[in-house]
Amino acid sequence: MPQVSLTVNGKQHTVEVEGRTLLVELLREKLGLTGTHVGCDTSQCGACVVHVDGLAVKSCTMLALQADGMAVTTIEGIAAADGTLHPMQEMFREHHALQCGFCTPGMVMTAIDLVNAHPDGLTDKEIREGLEGNLCRCTGYHNIVKAIAAAHPLMHGQAPKAAE
Amino acid sequence: MGFEGIGASVRRKEDARFLSGRGHYTDDINRPGQLYAFIKRSDRPHARIASLQTAQAAAAPGVVAVFTGQDMAADNVGGLPCGWQIHNKDGSPMAEPPHPVIAIGKVRHVGDPVAVVIAESRQAAKDAAELLEIEYDDLPAVATTLDALEPGAPTVHDDVAGNVCYDWHIGDKGTVDAAFARAAKVVKLELTNNRLVPNAMEPRAALGDFDTSSGDFTLYTTSQNPHVIRLLMGAFVLHIPENKLRVVAPDVGGGFGSKIYHYAEEAIVTWAAGKLRRPVKWTAERNESFMSDAHGRDHVSTAEMALDADGTFLALRVATIANMGAYLSTFAPCVPTYLYATLLAGVYKTPAIYAEVKAVFTNTVPVDAYRGAGRPEATYLLERLVDVIAHDTGMDRVEIRRKNFIPADAFPYQTPVALQYDSGNYEMTLKAALDAADFAGFEARRAAARAKGKLRGIGISTYLEACGIAPSAVVGSLGARAGLYEVANVKVHPTGSITVYTGTHSHGQGHETTFAQLISDQMGVPIDQIEVVHGDTSKIPFGMGTYGSRSLAVGGSAMVKAMDKIIAKGKKIAAHLMEAAVEDIEFDKGTFKVAGTDKSKTLTDISLAAYVPHNYPIEELEPGLDETAFYDPKNFTFPGGCHVCELEIDQETGVVEMVNFVAVDDVGRVINPMIVEGQVQGGVAQGIGQALLENAIYDSNGQLLSGSFMDYTMPRANDLVNISVGTEITLCTHNPLGVKGCGEVGAIGSPPAVMNAVIDALKEYGIRHIDMPATGAKLWEILQANRPKMAAE
């Protein structure tokens, strides 16, 4: 069986996988990182979004072997080593941007990439457009949009906006 | 520590694990030696299974077993039971055809299980399923609700003539007919309520485990009500007594009704785990969710209102055909009857109502409760009808509602369709919503939009729903085969921290926070010292689960009852410790005081004494501080409110853009405003989805055309708009908290508000009604086919 060597959340792994194994299957089933979820089979829902070399990727749409030599970050890997939540995680909590929590890991990983890619700011409309690859069935997105808008200044080193 | 009690927007306790990837969903659980099941499903809507050869699949690499419906039947496995029996007009019981766990002889819908392949890996099971040799003799299929009743239509079940599951009615036909005979005007509307696929983001999953030492079975499953699954599967399907069967519903990624029911896969993995002496896991792929999760809605109705000359409603007559799908799902029969027709009074004092409902079988996925369940269908019918009355009579749509509202001083109010509303104030929520939406200033916005080529419309709906189900004796008399009480066990530990075990289940609702606030408010213990436990039949005494916005109204009331017992016992212990009379002990937020003195004991003093009973009234009182309560509600609760939707239609493309959505709801007392707002926003999003985007479409042969996220339009962030939520409350009068429920109001009030706005936007085209969903394509065709009336005149 072929081998894949990759870094996941800063840790080096070498794993045997079938050629057809998806990155998300590697993460969930071989590495036990079950924070990354599978919500569909057509790359529509975004529950499986992780970062590959810093960019948001649907891990159900990438073969594990394609990640060879790459650095993968999952939802388990974004808080600080002392457990302090990433500003995006903190703002999701503050603004009640999650209910059942199933879409949340993919939503947070997409949101971080979206904010990273727009250092000069994001309008609500740009946030909504930026979430086109992620489905949430619980929140109606209202609070997700609020959380991302609130995380933006925190991630770009500006003073936090007061929560409502 | 800030204020954490009733009324505080406490941030959720459960969020830390969900945000860190430490949620614990069914598919995240793995047991040693676990096997994987893949369900081979019918790709035929209706066919006889001519032959089913499993040998090749069974011999494939990694395969441990292949089972068919015959194998399970031979092992005395029963069919999936239905939990509610409706009676026909003539008093005879509904048709209740068998629902085998795996199809035997015939398949009746695309997605019907035909065989299960169990292997060492998911992929091996799936690969081997390709080797099953199945020959079908296709049979003609019934694809749609109306097709089921066509003369000569194929029959889904041989022994159910004409595909009629039941022909039921409610109300006084004679009075209604008489009112129609003397009416100044009758307004009639034919409408459909589109079929929906619930699509919780977590696909269903089930993991069966068998303990070879004890002979105990454990089922981990994506369920809203583990005790109900244990009861149904244990008693009716697998014949495992409760003491040998544990059902665990861990973190569940959304339900919206679709995870209430007992599904075939739960029985398959539990049974197979016992046969193979190894754990067996099944996880749905999304395509399986589309063809095996119970669908929602799917009504075709005719509604007629009799009016007097000034627009007062005299009588309502409704005839509905409701699609049950191919088999009866667990609670399917009650949805278009007691959760629908009993709601047809709505917020109006219509004195006479008669409704008849025919439920039909079709070769489609079973249909059952989906967020709101019957109440959205009733609300949509009524609130569209009221707007059509305004359209046909020229009366103002707000004034006609006001004229017919049940007034605030009329409660308790007995409707002509069985329900008695305890409280409400529909004028209050209407006014608040119209103000918040600047309804009065709308025409200026319409004109401004018109100048940009946009057709702007505003729509309202004033709605009511019944939730907090329900008094057991009442639902029993209506056909429920279960009681609908709820259970709470409150354990005060020796050092004063508290664990609460609830029979309800949280799959997004935030119970771990709301219930902790409720306990904290009464017991004076900080919420970080309160643990809320749900979803495990081995820990929780009993419970009926979460659906119908019942958890706080029924489950929260059970907690209050259990806390009352704790406090009563604590007072006896406190009286002993402080050498006072029990009647003189007062309890307030964690402190037991002797009235009129400065003597007091904390809850911790009392709990320690209860568990270390050295100085304790041991002759009269058992040690421990641990109480259980069952609470059976006295009535339904009746949330209501007003939703206002403002939107624009692009005249060139037909595409709808949401501009503003305002919901003002009366959900009774609010424990956590932040969570209530989130519940309403989520419900509204699903309602907007139903009105504008979502549609489960079968072709005439019974193939599900919208069977994936590529084809079934789920609302995305950019389809929606900020959803403004307000609450204006009246208290429920019959439960100790005054709470009503907030989980479904959003999905109930919003679809007619959206559709009324769409039709208002098309005012100049003279459109009277459009069925949901109002997609861009549908509106474009309407815009092409109709010329603006004003321009033509």
Side-chain angles (χ1 to χ4, degrees), chain A residues 20 28-29 34 37 39 41 44 75 89 93-94 96 98-102 128-129 132 137-138 140-143, chain B residues 11-12 19 25 27-28 127 197-198 201 254 286-287 370 508 678-679 681-682 694 710 715-717 722-723:
Chain A
R20 61 183 171 177
R28 286 183 57 82
E29 291 164 21
T34 55
H37 296 151
D41 43 17
Q44 296 286 304
I75 189 73
Q89 292 171 304
R93 178 177 146 83
E94 179 61 25
H96 187 33
L98 65 154
Q99 291 183 22
C100 81
F102 195 81
R128 286 180 181 273
E129 284 167 357
E132 69 164 0
R137 193 57 152 167
C138 293
Y141 305 97
H142 178 111
N143 286 339
Chain B
R11 300 309 186 257
R12 300 199 320 170
L19 282 163
Y25 301 88
D27 189 53
D28 300 340
D127 289 347
V197 182
M201 290 315 301
R286 180 58 61 181
N287 68 82
Y370 166 63
Q679 287 294 305
Q681 285 162 344
E694 298 179 39
M710 312 277 279
R716 292 179 185 273
N722 283 343
I723 297 159

Short mmCIF file of all heavy atoms in Angstrom, two decimals, chain A residues 20 28-29 34 37 39 41 44 75 89 93-94 96 98-102 128-129 132 137-138 140-143, chain B residues 11-12 19 25 27-28 127 197-198 201 254 286-287 370 508 678-679 681-682 694 710 715-717 722-723:
data_model
loop_
_atom_site.label_atom_id
_atom_site.label_comp_id
_atom_site.label_asym_id
_atom_site.label_seq_id
_atom_site.Cartn_x
_atom_site.Cartn_y
_atom_site.Cartn_z
N ARG A 20 -7.20 5.34 -3.13
CA ARG A 20 -8.47 6.06 -3.21
C ARG A 20 -8.84 6.74 -1.88
O ARG A 20 -9.86 7.39 -1.80
CB ARG A 20 -9.58 5.12 -3.61
CG ARG A 20 -9.81 3.98 -2.62
CD ARG A 20 -10.89 3.03 -3.11
NE ARG A 20 -10.97 1.83 -2.30
CZ ARG A 20 -11.86 0.88 -2.48
NH1 ARG A 20 -12.75 0.99 -3.47
NH2 ARG A 20 -11.88 -0.19 -1.72
N ARG A 28 -9.80 11.36 9.85
CA ARG A 28 -10.79 10.82 10.80
C ARG A 28 -10.45 9.40 11.23
O ARG A 28 -10.53 9.07 12.40
CB ARG A 28 -12.19 10.83 10.18
CG ARG A 28 -12.83 12.20 10.08
CD ARG A 28 -14.27 12.10 9.52
NE ARG A 28 -15.09 11.23 10.34
CZ ARG A 28 -15.69 11.62 11.46
NH1 ARG A 28 -15.56 12.85 11.88
NH2 ARG A 28 -16.42 10.76 12.16
N GLU A 29 -10.13 8.56 10.24
CA GLU A 29 -10.05 7.13 10.54
C GLU A 29 -8.64 6.67 10.89
O GLU A 29 -8.47 5.78 11.71
CB GLU A 29 -10.62 6.34 9.36
CG GLU A 29 -12.14 6.54 9.26
CD GLU A 29 -12.75 6.11 7.93
OE1 GLU A 29 -12.12 5.30 7.23
OE2 GLU A 29 -13.84 6.61 7.59
N THR A 34 -11.38 13.45 14.70
CA THR A 34 -12.78 13.39 14.28
C THR A 34 -13.47 14.76 14.32
O THR A 34 -14.67 14.85 14.11
CB THR A 34 -13.55 12.40 15.16
OG1 THR A 34 -13.39 12.79 16.53
CG2 THR A 34 -13.06 10.98 14.97
N HIS A 37 -15.53 16.90 9.80
CA HIS A 37 -16.75 16.11 9.57
C HIS A 37 -17.04 15.89 8.08
O HIS A 37 -16.55 16.64 7.23
CB HIS A 37 -17.95 16.82 10.20
CG HIS A 37 -17.85 16.92 11.69
ND1 HIS A 37 -18.43 17.94 12.41
CD2 HIS A 37 -17.23 16.12 12.60
CE1 HIS A 37 -18.17 17.76 13.69
NE2 HIS A 37 -17.44 16.67 13.84
N GLY A 39 -20.28 15.81 5.70
CA GLY A 39 -21.72 16.09 5.68
C GLY A 39 -22.36 15.80 4.35
O GLY A 39 -23.58 15.86 4.23
N ASP A 41 -21.60 14.07 -0.01
CA ASP A 41 -20.78 13.26 -0.89
C ASP A 41 -20.59 13.94 -2.23
O ASP A 41 -20.26 13.29 -3.21
CB ASP A 41 -21.40 11.87 -1.04
CG ASP A 41 -22.91 11.93 -1.24
OD1 ASP A 41 -23.43 13.02 -1.58
OD2 ASP A 41 -23.58 10.90 -1.05
N GLN A 44 -20.29 19.74 -1.45
CA GLN A 44 -21.17 20.90 -1.37
C GLN A 44 -21.23 21.55 0.02
O GLN A 44 -21.53 22.72 0.13
CB GLN A 44 -22.61 20.48 -1.73
CG GLN A 44 -22.76 20.00 -3.15
CD GLN A 44 -22.71 21.13 -4.13
OE1 GLN A 44 -23.48 22.07 -4.03
NE2 GLN A 44 -21.81 21.06 -5.09
N ILE A 75 -9.35 21.59 12.75
CA ILE A 75 -9.99 22.35 13.83
C ILE A 75 -9.30 22.07 15.17
O ILE A 75 -9.24 22.95 16.03
CB ILE A 75 -11.50 22.02 13.90
CG1 ILE A 75 -12.24 22.96 14.86
CG2 ILE A 75 -11.74 20.55 14.30
CD1 ILE A 75 -12.43 24.34 14.38
N GLN A 89 -12.64 31.06 16.84
CA GLN A 89 -13.39 30.18 17.74
C GLN A 89 -14.09 31.00 18.83
O GLN A 89 -15.26 30.79 19.15
CB GLN A 89 -12.44 29.17 18.41
CG GLN A 89 -11.84 28.15 17.46
CD GLN A 89 -10.74 27.33 18.14
OE1 GLN A 89 -9.78 27.88 18.67
NE2 GLN A 89 -10.89 26.01 18.13
N ARG A 93 -18.19 31.54 19.59
CA ARG A 93 -18.83 31.30 20.88
C ARG A 93 -19.55 32.56 21.37
O ARG A 93 -20.70 32.51 21.79
CB ARG A 93 -17.75 30.88 21.89
CG ARG A 93 -18.24 30.64 23.28
CD ARG A 93 -17.08 30.14 24.16
NE ARG A 93 -17.20 30.63 25.53
CZ ARG A 93 -17.97 30.04 26.44
NH1 ARG A 93 -18.67 28.99 26.15
NH2 ARG A 93 -18.04 30.54 27.66
N GLU A 94 -18.86 33.68 21.26
CA GLU A 94 -19.42 34.94 21.77
C GLU A 94 -20.71 35.32 21.05
O GLU A 94 -21.64 35.83 21.65
CB GLU A 94 -18.36 36.05 21.58
CG GLU A 94 -18.79 37.44 22.03
CD GLU A 94 -19.13 37.50 23.51
OE1 GLU A 94 -18.60 36.67 24.27
OE2 GLU A 94 -19.94 38.37 23.89
N HIS A 96 -22.76 33.24 19.36
CA HIS A 96 -23.70 32.12 19.20
C HIS A 96 -23.82 31.71 17.72
O HIS A 96 -24.90 31.60 17.16
CB HIS A 96 -25.07 32.50 19.76
CG HIS A 96 -26.06 31.36 19.79
ND1 HIS A 96 -25.69 30.05 19.98
CD2 HIS A 96 -27.40 31.34 19.64
CE1 HIS A 96 -26.78 29.29 19.94
NE2 HIS A 96 -27.82 30.04 19.74
N LEU A 98 -22.99 28.93 16.45
CA LEU A 98 -23.11 27.49 16.24
C LEU A 98 -24.25 26.96 17.09
O LEU A 98 -24.56 27.51 18.14
CB LEU A 98 -21.81 26.76 16.62
CG LEU A 98 -21.38 26.81 18.09
CD1 LEU A 98 -20.53 25.60 18.43
CD2 LEU A 98 -20.62 28.09 18.38
N GLN A 99 -24.90 25.94 16.58
CA GLN A 99 -25.94 25.29 17.37
C GLN A 99 -25.58 23.81 17.54
O GLN A 99 -25.05 23.41 18.56
CB GLN A 99 -27.31 25.52 16.74
CG GLN A 99 -27.72 27.01 16.89
CD GLN A 99 -29.10 27.33 16.36
OE1 GLN A 99 -29.95 26.47 16.23
NE2 GLN A 99 -29.33 28.61 16.04
N CYS A 100 -25.82 22.99 16.49
CA CYS A 100 -25.51 21.56 16.67
C CYS A 100 -24.01 21.29 16.60
O CYS A 100 -23.54 20.26 17.05
CB CYS A 100 -26.25 20.70 15.66
SG CYS A 100 -25.51 20.61 14.02
N GLY A 101 -23.26 22.20 16.02
CA GLY A 101 -21.81 22.07 16.01
C GLY A 101 -21.24 21.24 14.88
O GLY A 101 -20.02 21.12 14.76
N PHE A 102 -22.10 20.67 14.04
CA PHE A 102 -21.58 19.73 13.03
C PHE A 102 -20.88 20.45 11.89
O PHE A 102 -19.83 20.02 11.43
CB PHE A 102 -22.70 18.83 12.51
CG PHE A 102 -22.17 17.64 11.76
CD1 PHE A 102 -21.72 16.52 12.45
CD2 PHE A 102 -22.10 17.63 10.37
CE1 PHE A 102 -21.20 15.42 11.77
CE2 PHE A 102 -21.60 16.54 9.68
CZ PHE A 102 -21.15 15.43 10.38
N ARG A 128 -20.88 36.72 3.38
CA ARG A 128 -21.90 35.77 2.90
C ARG A 128 -21.44 35.10 1.61
O ARG A 128 -21.62 33.89 1.43
CB ARG A 128 -23.24 36.49 2.71
CG ARG A 128 -23.93 36.82 4.04
CD ARG A 128 -25.27 37.52 3.86
NE ARG A 128 -25.88 37.83 5.14
CZ ARG A 128 -26.66 36.99 5.84
NH1 ARG A 128 -26.94 35.80 5.35
NH2 ARG A 128 -27.15 37.34 7.01
N GLU A 129 -20.86 35.88 0.71
CA GLU A 129 -20.36 35.28 -0.54
C GLU A 129 -19.20 34.33 -0.26
O GLU A 129 -19.08 33.27 -0.88
CB GLU A 129 -19.93 36.38 -1.51
CG GLU A 129 -21.12 37.06 -2.17
CD GLU A 129 -20.76 38.35 -2.90
OE1 GLU A 129 -19.59 38.77 -2.86
OE2 GLU A 129 -21.69 38.95 -3.49
N GLU A 132 -19.97 30.58 0.50
CA GLU A 132 -20.81 29.86 -0.47
C GLU A 132 -20.53 28.35 -0.49
O GLU A 132 -21.38 27.58 -0.90
CB GLU A 132 -20.66 30.45 -1.88
CG GLU A 132 -19.30 30.18 -2.49
CD GLU A 132 -19.29 30.41 -3.99
OE1 GLU A 132 -20.34 30.76 -4.53
OE2 GLU A 132 -18.23 30.23 -4.59
N ARG A 137 -27.37 24.27 8.70
CA ARG A 137 -28.83 24.10 8.69
C ARG A 137 -29.46 24.69 9.94
O ARG A 137 -30.67 24.78 10.02
CB ARG A 137 -29.15 22.61 8.57
CG ARG A 137 -30.60 22.26 8.24
CD ARG A 137 -31.11 22.88 6.96
NE ARG A 137 -32.15 22.09 6.33
CZ ARG A 137 -32.92 22.53 5.33
NH1 ARG A 137 -32.77 23.77 4.87
NH2 ARG A 137 -33.82 21.75 4.79
N CYS A 138 -28.63 25.06 10.93
CA CYS A 138 -29.19 25.47 12.23
C CYS A 138 -29.35 26.98 12.39
O CYS A 138 -30.34 27.44 12.94
CB CYS A 138 -28.30 24.99 13.37
SG CYS A 138 -28.22 23.21 13.60
N GLY A 140 -29.15 29.78 10.31
CA GLY A 140 -29.60 30.80 9.35
C GLY A 140 -28.48 31.77 8.98
O GLY A 140 -28.72 32.79 8.35
N TYR A 141 -27.25 31.45 9.40
CA TYR A 141 -26.02 32.17 9.05
C TYR A 141 -25.87 33.54 9.72
O TYR A 141 -24.77 34.10 9.75
CB TYR A 141 -25.86 32.34 7.52
CG TYR A 141 -25.92 31.06 6.75
CD1 TYR A 141 -27.10 30.64 6.15
CD2 TYR A 141 -24.81 30.24 6.64
CE1 TYR A 141 -27.16 29.44 5.44
CE2 TYR A 141 -24.86 29.04 5.94
CZ TYR A 141 -26.04 28.65 5.34
OH TYR A 141 -26.09 27.48 4.64
N HIS A 142 -26.97 34.11 10.21
CA HIS A 142 -26.96 35.47 10.77
C HIS A 142 -25.79 35.65 11.76
O HIS A 142 -24.98 36.56 11.62
CB HIS A 142 -28.31 35.69 11.48
CG HIS A 142 -28.48 37.00 12.16
ND1 HIS A 142 -29.34 37.98 11.71
CD2 HIS A 142 -27.92 37.50 13.28
CE1 HIS A 142 -29.29 39.01 12.52
NE2 HIS A 142 -28.43 38.75 13.49
N ASN A 143 -25.72 34.75 12.74
CA ASN A 143 -24.69 34.88 13.77
C ASN A 143 -23.31 34.46 13.30
O ASN A 143 -22.31 34.90 13.86
CB ASN A 143 -25.08 34.08 15.02
CG ASN A 143 -26.21 34.76 15.79
OD1 ASN A 143 -26.44 35.96 15.64
ND2 ASN A 143 -26.92 33.99 16.59
N ARG B 11 -23.31 32.56 27.52
CA ARG B 11 -22.67 31.87 26.39
C ARG B 11 -22.68 30.37 26.66
O ARG B 11 -22.57 29.93 27.80
CB ARG B 11 -21.25 32.40 26.19
CG ARG B 11 -21.20 33.91 25.89
CD ARG B 11 -22.14 34.29 24.74
NE ARG B 11 -22.00 35.69 24.35
CZ ARG B 11 -22.85 36.67 24.67
NH1 ARG B 11 -23.91 36.42 25.41
NH2 ARG B 11 -22.64 37.90 24.23
N ARG B 12 -22.77 29.58 25.59
CA ARG B 12 -23.12 28.18 25.78
C ARG B 12 -21.98 27.33 26.35
O ARG B 12 -20.84 27.41 25.90
CB ARG B 12 -23.58 27.57 24.45
CG ARG B 12 -24.79 28.26 23.86
CD ARG B 12 -25.51 27.40 22.84
NE ARG B 12 -24.59 26.66 21.99
CZ ARG B 12 -24.98 25.70 21.16
NH1 ARG B 12 -26.27 25.38 21.07
NH2 ARG B 12 -24.10 25.06 20.40
N LEU B 19 -16.30 23.76 19.22
CA LEU B 19 -15.40 24.67 18.52
C LEU B 19 -13.98 24.13 18.44
O LEU B 19 -13.16 24.65 17.67
CB LEU B 19 -15.39 26.04 19.21
CG LEU B 19 -16.60 26.90 18.89
CD1 LEU B 19 -16.74 28.04 19.91
CD2 LEU B 19 -16.50 27.46 17.47
N TYR B 25 -19.84 12.81 18.07
CA TYR B 25 -21.00 12.39 17.27
C TYR B 25 -20.91 10.88 17.03
O TYR B 25 -19.85 10.27 17.19
CB TYR B 25 -21.02 13.15 15.95
CG TYR B 25 -21.10 14.66 16.12
CD1 TYR B 25 -19.95 15.42 16.26
CD2 TYR B 25 -22.33 15.32 16.17
CE1 TYR B 25 -20.01 16.79 16.43
CE2 TYR B 25 -22.39 16.68 16.35
CZ TYR B 25 -21.23 17.42 16.47
OH TYR B 25 -21.30 18.78 16.65
N ASP B 27 -20.72 8.93 14.45
CA ASP B 27 -19.68 8.39 13.56
C ASP B 27 -18.27 8.58 14.12
O ASP B 27 -17.32 7.99 13.61
CB ASP B 27 -19.79 9.02 12.16
CG ASP B 27 -18.88 8.33 11.16
OD1 ASP B 27 -18.98 7.09 11.05
OD2 ASP B 27 -18.05 9.00 10.52
N ASP B 28 -18.14 9.40 15.17
CA ASP B 28 -16.82 9.56 15.81
C ASP B 28 -16.52 8.40 16.75
O ASP B 28 -15.39 8.28 17.24
CB ASP B 28 -16.78 10.87 16.63
CG ASP B 28 -17.02 12.10 15.78
OD1 ASP B 28 -16.85 12.02 14.55
OD2 ASP B 28 -17.40 13.14 16.35
N ASP B 127 -17.76 -1.97 -1.82
CA ASP B 127 -17.31 -2.67 -3.04
C ASP B 127 -18.10 -3.96 -3.22
O ASP B 127 -18.56 -4.28 -4.33
CB ASP B 127 -15.82 -3.01 -2.94
CG ASP B 127 -14.93 -1.79 -3.03
OD1 ASP B 127 -15.44 -0.71 -3.42
OD2 ASP B 127 -13.72 -1.89 -2.70
N VAL B 197 -36.79 17.96 2.17
CA VAL B 197 -35.85 17.00 2.74
C VAL B 197 -35.16 17.71 3.91
O VAL B 197 -34.58 18.77 3.72
CB VAL B 197 -34.82 16.53 1.70
CG1 VAL B 197 -33.88 15.50 2.31
CG2 VAL B 197 -35.52 15.96 0.48
N PRO B 198 -35.28 17.14 5.12
CA PRO B 198 -34.81 17.87 6.31
C PRO B 198 -33.33 18.25 6.26
O PRO B 198 -32.97 19.37 6.61
CB PRO B 198 -35.10 16.90 7.45
CG PRO B 198 -36.23 16.07 6.95
CD PRO B 198 -35.99 15.91 5.48
N MET B 201 -27.27 18.58 9.09
CA MET B 201 -25.92 18.49 8.49
C MET B 201 -25.21 17.19 8.84
O MET B 201 -24.37 16.71 8.07
CB MET B 201 -25.07 19.70 8.89
CG MET B 201 -25.53 21.02 8.27
SD MET B 201 -25.92 20.91 6.49
CE MET B 201 -24.36 20.34 5.84
N GLY B 254 -27.92 18.09 14.54
CA GLY B 254 -29.17 18.60 13.97
C GLY B 254 -30.17 17.48 13.77
O GLY B 254 -29.81 16.32 13.53
N ARG B 286 -24.64 11.17 2.10
CA ARG B 286 -25.72 12.16 1.93
C ARG B 286 -26.77 11.67 0.94
O ARG B 286 -27.97 11.92 1.12
CB ARG B 286 -25.13 13.50 1.48
CG ARG B 286 -26.15 14.61 1.28
CD ARG B 286 -27.00 14.92 2.51
NE ARG B 286 -26.22 15.36 3.64
CZ ARG B 286 -26.75 15.68 4.83
NH1 ARG B 286 -28.06 15.62 5.02
NH2 ARG B 286 -25.97 16.04 5.83
N ASN B 287 -26.36 10.94 -0.09
CA ASN B 287 -27.37 10.45 -1.05
C ASN B 287 -28.34 9.51 -0.36
O ASN B 287 -29.51 9.43 -0.71
CB ASN B 287 -26.71 9.82 -2.28
CG ASN B 287 -25.99 8.52 -1.94
OD1 ASN B 287 -26.61 7.47 -1.87
ND2 ASN B 287 -24.69 8.59 -1.73
N TYR B 370 -41.40 17.31 10.13
CA TYR B 370 -40.21 18.12 9.88
C TYR B 370 -40.50 19.48 10.49
O TYR B 370 -41.62 19.99 10.38
CB TYR B 370 -39.94 18.22 8.37
CG TYR B 370 -38.95 19.29 7.99
CD1 TYR B 370 -37.63 19.24 8.43
CD2 TYR B 370 -39.32 20.35 7.18
CE1 TYR B 370 -36.73 20.23 8.08
CE2 TYR B 370 -38.42 21.34 6.81
CZ TYR B 370 -37.12 21.29 7.28
OH TYR B 370 -36.23 22.27 6.93
N GLY B 508 -28.50 20.77 19.13
CA GLY B 508 -28.32 22.13 18.63
C GLY B 508 -29.02 23.17 19.48
O GLY B 508 -28.73 24.36 19.40
N GLY B 678 -31.35 32.66 18.29
CA GLY B 678 -30.71 31.72 17.37
C GLY B 678 -31.69 30.68 16.87
O GLY B 678 -31.67 30.30 15.69
N GLN B 679 -32.55 30.19 17.75
CA GLN B 679 -33.55 29.20 17.34
C GLN B 679 -34.50 29.79 16.32
O GLN B 679 -34.86 29.14 15.33
CB GLN B 679 -34.34 28.70 18.56
CG GLN B 679 -33.54 27.79 19.48
CD GLN B 679 -33.20 26.47 18.80
OE1 GLN B 679 -34.07 25.77 18.31
NE2 GLN B 679 -31.93 26.16 18.75
N GLN B 681 -33.97 32.42 14.33
CA GLN B 681 -33.26 32.69 13.07
C GLN B 681 -33.10 31.41 12.25
O GLN B 681 -33.31 31.42 11.03
CB GLN B 681 -31.88 33.31 13.37
CG GLN B 681 -32.00 34.76 13.80
CD GLN B 681 -30.75 35.26 14.51
OE1 GLN B 681 -29.90 34.48 14.95
NE2 GLN B 681 -30.64 36.57 14.63
N GLY B 682 -32.73 30.33 12.91
CA GLY B 682 -32.56 29.07 12.19
C GLY B 682 -33.86 28.57 11.60
O GLY B 682 -33.90 28.07 10.47
N GLU B 694 -36.31 25.30 -1.73
CA GLU B 694 -36.25 23.85 -1.53
C GLU B 694 -37.46 23.14 -2.12
O GLU B 694 -38.58 23.61 -2.00
CB GLU B 694 -36.18 23.53 -0.02
CG GLU B 694 -34.95 24.08 0.65
CD GLU B 694 -34.90 23.76 2.14
OE1 GLU B 694 -35.29 22.64 2.53
OE2 GLU B 694 -34.50 24.64 2.91
N MET B 710 -26.46 18.90 -5.01
CA MET B 710 -26.30 19.51 -6.33
C MET B 710 -27.66 19.89 -6.91
O MET B 710 -27.75 20.75 -7.77
CB MET B 710 -25.64 18.53 -7.30
CG MET B 710 -24.40 17.85 -6.79
SD MET B 710 -22.94 18.86 -6.97
CE MET B 710 -22.55 18.55 -8.69
N PRO B 715 -30.57 26.52 1.56
CA PRO B 715 -30.25 27.95 1.69
C PRO B 715 -28.79 28.14 2.10
O PRO B 715 -28.31 27.48 3.02
CB PRO B 715 -31.17 28.43 2.82
CG PRO B 715 -32.15 27.35 3.05
CD PRO B 715 -31.57 26.07 2.54
N ARG B 716 -28.10 28.98 1.35
CA ARG B 716 -26.72 29.33 1.70
C ARG B 716 -26.71 30.74 2.26
O ARG B 716 -27.70 31.47 2.18
CB ARG B 716 -25.82 29.21 0.47
CG ARG B 716 -25.66 27.77 0.03
CD ARG B 716 -24.79 27.61 -1.22
NE ARG B 716 -24.79 26.20 -1.63
CZ ARG B 716 -23.93 25.28 -1.15
NH1 ARG B 716 -23.00 25.63 -0.30
NH2 ARG B 716 -24.03 24.03 -1.54
N ALA B 717 -25.56 31.12 2.81
CA ALA B 717 -25.47 32.41 3.50
C ALA B 717 -25.94 33.55 2.61
O ALA B 717 -26.62 34.47 3.05
CB ALA B 717 -24.04 32.65 3.97
N ASN B 722 -29.98 39.27 7.16
CA ASN B 722 -30.06 39.32 8.62
C ASN B 722 -31.51 39.16 9.04
O ASN B 722 -32.42 39.70 8.43
CB ASN B 722 -29.50 40.63 9.16
CG ASN B 722 -27.98 40.63 9.14
OD1 ASN B 722 -27.35 39.57 9.02
ND2 ASN B 722 -27.39 41.80 9.25
N ILE B 723 -31.71 38.38 10.09
CA ILE B 723 -33.06 38.06 10.55
C ILE B 723 -33.24 38.70 11.92
O ILE B 723 -32.61 38.29 12.90
CB ILE B 723 -33.27 36.53 10.61
CG1 ILE B 723 -33.13 35.95 9.18
CG2 ILE B 723 -34.63 36.19 11.21
CD1 ILE B 723 -32.82 34.47 9.16
#
